[in-house]
Amino acid sequence: MPSASQSSIGGSAPPHAHLPETAADQLRWLDLETDHLRLRVLNFGAVTARLDLRVGDGWVPMVLGYHDMVSYLGDPFYLGAIVGRVANRVGGAGFDVAGRRVALDANEGGNQLHGGTAGLGRVFWEIQQVADDAAELRYTSADGENGYPGCAEFLLRITVSGASVSYDMSASVDQTTPINLAQHNYYTLGVTGDIWGHRLCCPAAAYLPLRPDGVPTGAIAPVAGTSLDFTVGQSFAELDPQRRGTDTHVIFAKGVDSHMPEVAKLTAPNGVAMRVFSDQPGAQIYTATHLNSAVKAQGGQQLAPFAAVCIEPQGFPDAVNQPDFPSVMLQPGRPYHQRLSLNFSTNEADQDD
């Protein structure tokens, strides 16, 4: 299993302050490959550092990534990470459970983002290749870590098959505590400029309006007439001509005939398309508005605003403080499960969804 000692350290941001001085020596990764897809997963943050599709005789990156693997140790953008215990924002960095107030680590102003300073995307997992096409990662989050009550055991299984990859996430807890995970790839689909020409088709008729700090207000609003109306597959430029960007949770209108419906299709101008299948009630759509880094990226990519789009299936953000949202509280003896599947294809630029 390769280590960071085999990767150049030049040009990287310093590691996060909570990591030990030996963090670079602890960094490991596994590579999975089919005839059509190859993936690299790190033991740090369960990060998908590479996700490449074979197009013709070459490999084309589907996601943003750093040139050096060690750069992920200081990444502030959660590139490719599994985020949690609770993804997205928890308003006021706290919530009530069993009649008591739980105070969380506040790492974005007065709120918590993606589980806190040392959330799942910024810790070392145990990593093991369990088959030619699959890897498993495990992490034990101790009682009180980032403020969360109870011990939580996490298991992630990543499997590649043909031109598809699946992320199977599970967790078990010994106390009542919230769990809401998200996979945080930044999708480019092989485009090295920006994503304004990408088209997103998503069966979401509603979204969650936000306060100025990015926390949901508690209301649910229709997407019709807004820049979040992805129902007909327009480009981001068509939906957002002023190019303000998007960082909002949309709610899927799921059919009753499938436990893993297609919840999104992203198509790039180069003809590469990605279909997203998920069992979650919604997703955060983020057009990388605040992405900006001089750290070297892989193969001609730029870590710049609007260079990629994140499609992050998950439970409703701030559900711990919103009684009308579906609960993300987990009980002992009732494990958490989430499944995400991505299917890539080519030559679809002129096809309708």
Side-chain angles (χ1 to χ4, degrees):
M1 185 184 302
S3 68
S5 62
Q6 297 168 304
S7 177
S8 169
I9 298 181
S12 298
H16 293 294
H18 69 275
L19 294 176
E21 293 182 0
T22 58
D25 296 328
Q26 297 178 40
L27 187 62
R28 300 288 185 274
W29 58 83
L30 290 173
D31 293 321
L32 306 175
E33 186 172 329
T34 71
D35 291 339
H36 305 285
L37 201 68
R38 65 184 185 185
L39 179 148
R40 172 171 292 177
V41 57
L42 307 185
N43 66 337
F44 179 73
V47 164
T48 297
R50 296 283 187 271
L51 181 56
D52 303 333
L53 178 69
R54 184 179 289 280
V55 179
D57 296 328
W59 293 98
V60 177
M62 296 293 99
V63 299
L64 283 182
Y66 290 107
H67 175 75
D68 296 326
M69 296 302 101
V70 75
S71 295
Y72 288 94
L73 297 175
D75 169 43
F77 305 110
Y78 303 93
L79 264 67
I82 297 294
V83 295
R85 291 187 189 188
V86 174
N88 218 306
R89 292 168 178 86
V90 176
F95 60 92
D96 296 321
V97 62
R100 69 183 181 92
R101 185 68 179 172
V102 173
L104 302 176
D105 169 47
N107 64 328
E108 189 187 59
N111 304 318
Q112 185 185 85
L113 176 66
H114 293 331
T117 303
L120 297 181
R122 292 179 174 172
V123 295
F124 285 100
W125 297 53
E126 296 178 8
I127 188 170
Q128 179 182 11
Q129 186 156 356
V130 294
D132 291 342
D133 61 355
E136 285 188 352
L137 295 96
R138 298 175 184 271
Y139 179 72
T140 300
S141 179
D143 181 20
E145 188 169 273
N146 297 298
Y148 288 99
C151 176
E153 300 278 351
F154 294 95
L155 171 63
L156 168 68
R157 184 182 179 99
I158 302 176
T159 305
V160 293
S161 176
S164 299
V165 56
S166 64
Y167 297 86
D168 291 279
M169 309 169 222
S170 61
S172 59
V173 299
D174 64 1
Q175 294 183 38
T176 300
T177 194
I179 301 292
N180 185 20
L181 306 183
Q183 208 290 329
H184 210 294
N185 283 337
Y186 283 69
Y187 300 106
T188 66
L189 303 191
V191 174
T192 56
D194 58 54
I195 50 79
W196 291 113
H198 289 53
R199 295 185 291 116
L200 177 61
C201 187
C202 178
Y207 74 101
L208 301 181
L210 303 176
R211 305 181 329 205
D213 62 358
V215 175
T217 64
I220 295 176
V223 300
T226 76
S227 62
L228 299 171
D229 189 354
F230 304 115
T231 56
V232 296
Q234 291 178 283
S235 71
F236 287 105
E238 291 171 315
L239 283 170
D240 183 10
Q242 294 182 320
R243 303 197 174 191
R244 294 191 177 99
T246 296
D247 189 9
T248 307
H249 188 91
V250 297
I251 303 169
F252 300 142
K254 290 192 175 182
V256 297
D257 58 342
S258 175
H259 294 295
M260 275 285 290
E262 182 177 323
V263 297
K265 181 184 177 184
L266 183 67
T267 308
N270 60 9
V272 176
M274 178 184 73
R275 288 176 168 84
V276 181
F277 300 83
S278 173
D279 56 6
Q280 295 299 289
Q284 192 82 3
I285 309 297
Y286 175 48
T287 53
T289 310
H290 304 293
L291 181 67
N292 191 9
S293 175
V295 176
K296 187 177 180 181
Q298 64 168 321
Q301 295 179 338
Q302 299 295 318
L303 301 175
F306 313 114
V309 58
C310 303
I311 303 171
E312 311 164 45
Q314 59 190 264
F316 286 24
D318 200 37
V320 292
N321 292 310
Q322 305 285 355
D324 293 332
F325 288 179
S327 177
V328 296
M329 298 302 292
L330 195 64
Q331 309 288 336
R334 302 185 64 181
Y336 169 93
H337 294 286
Q338 180 190 153
R339 190 161 194 266
L340 169 66
S341 181
L342 311 173
N343 181 269
F344 297 91
S345 56
T346 58
N347 301 317
E348 297 203 27
D350 298 322
Q351 297 184 21
D352 293 328
D353 294 281

